[in-house]
Amino acid sequence: MKVAVLVKQTPDTAELPKVSADDVRSGSVKATMVINPWDEFAAEEAILLGERFDADSVAISMGSPDAVDALKHALAMGVGAAALVDNSAITGGDMWTTAAALAGAVKAEGADLVITGKQSVDDNSGAVYAGVAARLGWPLISAATKVVDVADGKITVERMVEGAQETITVSLPAVVSVGKEINEPRYPSFMGIRKASKANIPATPAGDLGVASGSGKTQWSNIRKPEERKTECVIIDGASVEEKAAKLADALMAEKVI
Amino acid sequence: MSVLVWIEQSKSGPVANSFEVLGKAREIASAMGTQSVAAVVGGDTSVSAAEAGRYGADVVMTLSSPVLADFRLSAYVKALRAAIDAAGATVVLMAATVRGREVAAMLAGELDAGYAPDVVDLRVDGGKLVAVRSVYSNNILTDVTFTSPVQVVSVRPRSFPMPEAGAAGGESKAVDPGVSEGDVKETLVEVKSTDSGEISLTDASIIVSGGRGVAQDPAKGFELVAQLASVLGAAVGASRAAVDAGYIPYKHQVGQTGKTVKPDLYIAAGISGAIQHLAGMGGSKIIVAINKDGEAPIFEKANYGIVGDLYQVLPALSAEFKKRMG
Ligand SMILES: Cc1cc2nc3c(=O)[nH]c(=O)nc-3n(C[C@H](O)[C@H](O)[C@H](O)COP(=O)(O)OP(=O)(O)OC[C@H]3O[C@@H](n4cnc5c(N)ncnc54)[C@H](O)[C@@H]3O)c2cc1C
Ligand SMILES: Nc1ncnc2c1ncn2[C@@H]1O[C@H](COP(=O)(O)O)[C@@H](O)[C@H]1O
C-alpha cells in the first residue's frame, strides 16, 4: 500500500489577523508560512499507517516553490518521500483546480490511500479532498477520528458527525480527511530535520498534470476585512460579587440576549 | 431553473439549520423569479417533507428508498443529483454541517460546479447569485461569484434566522432517487448516538465557555460552567488549552481549530482571548468576559466584563439568573 498525504503551506495562525485585503487580492500574503496545522494530523496519520500496515508514504503539496517547506516539515516528521506540484504558472484557479492537479499527482505516485487535513486555515474550504475523490472516482470519508483497520483492500474508519459516531468501510483506493481527535502530531526530530533539509524534492508544473489557468468556477471579489468589533468594554463594578452578578444580569436583559 | 435546498435528516428528524437555509432560499428564488425546492432524501421522508412544506418551500421533493435509510455519502450525492435534474436546479444550497459540507463538496466536485463553502450571507445581484465567505479563519470576507451553470453553496449555521412555520403547503413531488445498493460505495458498520440531549455549540443562542482559568480545580470549574449553562439553556464551550489539558472533550472546543460559533451571548470564563480563540467566537452578538486579570486581551473584544475569580462569579451568576428566570 502507498499512502499519499496532502499538505498545504499556509500562514502561521497567529499572523492571520494581520493579513490584509490587499495581500489576499494580490495572492502574496506577508506572513510567516508554515505547514497547515490541520495537515500535521494528516502527516502523523500517514506515518502511523505506514508503521501499522507496512506502507510507503509520500507527502504532496501544490503551491509555489516555497511550499517545499511544508513538505520538509512532513519529511522531518517521518513521511517517506515528498513531491511538489508547482502552480506558479497557473492563475485564475479555484479549489477544483487544486483538486485536479493533486488528483493527477496522486495518480502519478501510484498511491492507493490519500490522507488529508480537515481544512486549510487560509481558504477554509474543506473541499479539496472531495474534489480529489470526485476526480479520481474514489470514495471519501471525511472527519475521521480513527482508522480502525486496513485489510483485504478495504479501510474502516470511525468519524464524528453532529450527534453520532459512525464506523464506515470503503474499498481502496480511497480518500480520508482527518480531524484532530485522530492523533497527536509529533515534533520533527533533530535527525528528521537534518534528513529533510538534504532531501531532493521533485517538482512538477501543475500544467503537466492537466490543469490550466482560468479553470476556476468561482471568483473572489470585494475582498475586505470584517468590521472590527466595537471594543468598548463595560466593566461591571460592585461592592460584592452578588451585586456585580445582578448588574450584569440587568445589562444582558436590556440587550435582550437573555 | 430553481433553487434547491437539501433538507438534512438526523435520527431525530429534520436538521433545523436546513430550514434557516430554506428561509433564505425562498428569498433567493423570488429575487431570481423562480421556485424554491426542498429535497428530502431518506428511507422515510414524510415528516421532514411535511415540515419543509410548513416552512414555505414551493415544491417539496421526496427521494425515498430503503437504500437511503442511513446516511451514506455516495448514495446521498447520487440521489441529490437526481433531484437537481428533476428540479432543473441551478442553485443548490444546504446547511454547512459535517454531512452538509461533504455532500456539497462532493456534489459540486462531481458536477464540476462552482462551490462556495460555509457562507455567511447570500444575495442576488443583477440576477446572479453572490455568496459571502469568511476566510483566513474569519479574518477576511470575500464575495464569491460563479461562472458555472450549477452553483453549490453550504451555509454556516445561524447565518439566517429561522423562518416562521406556516400552514401545510408546497406542491409535493416524489422523484426516483435512482440508487441501488450495488452502487453505494460505503458500508455502514455501526452508528453510535453521541447525542446526550445537550444543546450543540453551533445551534446555541447562548454559550458559556471555560478555559485554563479553571486549572486550580478543573472538575469544579467546568461544573460551575455547566451549571450556569443549564440555568441559561446554553451550550458549554471551551478553549483549546482546556481541551488539551483534558478538562473537557474536544467537541466543546471553540476557535480556529475548534468550532466557529455565533451565539447572541458568549460568556468566557477564565479564557485569556488568544487570537485563535477569538477567530471562533468573534462573531457573537454580545461577549461577556470573566477573568481575574483585568488586562487579559479578552476584555478588548468583550462588551461586558467582570474582573474576578470565576469560582465566585459563576455561582453568583447562576443564582442571579435562577432568581430571574424562575
Ligand atoms: C494552530 C493553533 C490553533 C489553535 N486553535 C485554538 C482554538 O481553536 N481554540 C482556542 O481556544 N485556542 C486555540 N489555540 C490556542 C491559543 O493560542 C491559546 O493557547 C488558548 O486559547 C489559550 O486558552 P485559555 O485562554 O483557556 O488559556 P490561557 O491563555 O492560559 O488563559 C487563562 C486565563 O484564565 C485567567 N484565570 C486564571 N485563573 C482564573 C480564575 N480563578 N478566575 C478567572 N480567571 C482566571 C487568566 O487570567 C488567563 O487570562 C490555537 C493555537 C495554535 C497555535
Ligand atoms: N494546495 C494544496 N496542496 C496540498 N494539499 C492541499 C492543498 N490545498 C488543500 N489541501 C488539502 O486539502 C485539505 C482541505 O483543504 P481546503 O479544502 O482548502 O480547506 C487540507 O487540509 C490539505 O490536506
Side-chain angles (χ1 to χ4, degrees), chain A residues 13 96 142 166 229 250 255, chain B residues 99 102 113 256 284 304 324:
Chain A
T13 62
W96 300 148
S142 71
E166 299 178 340
R229 246 194 111 73
D250 287 341
E255 296 272 10
Chain B
R99 285 172 177 155
E102 70 178 6
Q256 190 184 289
S284 307
Y304 298 96
R324 297 191 185 215

Side-chain angles (χ1 to χ4, degrees), chain B:
Chain B
M1 199 167 126
S2 66
V3 177
L4 183 135
V5 179
W6 174 42
I7 307 300
E8 182 179 345
Q9 302 200 88
S10 71
K11 277 279 167 275
S12 47
V15 172
N17 306 119
S18 306
F19 298 127
E20 299 168 6
V21 179
L22 180 55
K24 193 68 187 180
R26 288 168 56 194
E27 266 178 62
I28 299 284
S30 79
M32 291 181 155
T34 180
Q35 287 193 312
S36 62
V37 180
V40 186
V41 178
D44 182 352
T45 51
S46 53
V47 174
S48 299
E51 288 271 291
R54 277 194 286 278
Y55 284 109
D58 295 320
V59 177
V60 180
M61 198 173 266
T62 51
L63 298 106
S64 320
S65 159
V67 179
L68 299 165
D70 286 306
F71 175 86
R72 285 177 297 171
L73 180 61
S74 61
Y76 272 53
V77 167
K78 190 143 194 245
L80 282 168
R81 289 180 67 167
I84 291 168
D85 284 346
T90 47
V91 174
V92 181
L93 308 175
M94 60 196 74
T97 57
V98 175
R99 285 172 177 155
R101 287 189 75 162
E102 70 178 6
V103 167
M106 203 67 188
L107 194 57
E110 285 188 9
L111 296 172
D112 204 17
Y115 173 41
D118 203 29
V119 312
V120 295
D121 202 4
L122 280 169
R123 64 175 192 275
V124 178
D125 254 2
K128 290 206 146 116
L129 183 69
V130 182
V132 180
R133 290 200 59 206
S134 175
V135 292
Y136 286 80
S137 302
N138 298 318
N139 288 293
I140 293 282
L141 288 174
T142 180
D143 287 359
V144 180
T145 51
F146 301 80
T147 55
S148 54
V150 176
Q151 309 166 3
V152 182
V153 172
S154 61
V155 179
R156 185 177 291 179
R158 288 181 59 78
S159 293
F160 303 120
M162 191 71 179
E164 298 276 323
E171 173 201 335
S172 39
K173 200 168 169 185
V175 169
D176 178 2
V179 290
S180 51
E181 192 55 46
D183 333 310
V184 185
K185 293 177 178 170
E186 303 84 7
T187 309
L188 200 60
V189 182
E190 194 185 1
V191 185
K192 267 194 241 158
S193 173
T194 53
D195 195 350
S196 43
E198 63 192 20
I199 303 160
S200 87
L201 278 172
T202 42
D203 286 339
S205 53
I206 306 180
I207 294 173
V208 186
S209 287
R212 185 149 44 202
V214 307
Q216 175 190 330
D217 185 351
K220 178 78 187 167
F222 268 99
E223 189 189 311
L224 297 176
V225 168
Q227 229 164 48
L228 179 58
S230 127
V231 173
L232 294 173
V236 172
S239 71
R240 170 160 156 187
V243 169
D244 285 354
Y247 303 159
I248 186 159
Y250 169 65
K251 68 174 179 177
H252 294 278
Q253 185 177 316
V254 171
Q256 190 184 289
T257 40
K259 296 202 167 81
T260 296
V261 298
K262 209 181 159 197
D264 297 331
L265 173 61
Y266 189 90
I267 303 180
I271 293 178
S272 62
I275 280 160
Q276 295 93 346
H277 191 77
L278 297 170
M281 45 64 88
S284 307
K285 192 165 156 213
I286 298 289
I287 295 174
V288 173
I290 301 164
N291 197 301
K292 67 177 186 189
D293 172 9
E295 303 290 305
I298 185 87
F299 288 114
E300 285 163 30
K301 298 287 170 187
N303 304 78
Y304 298 96
I306 295 185
V307 180
D309 183 355
L310 66 89
Y311 292 96
Q312 287 161 14
V313 177
L314 288 175
L317 284 174
S318 293
E320 183 63 35
F321 284 116
K322 211 180 247 161
K323 216 159 56 191
R324 297 191 185 215
M325 301 171 105

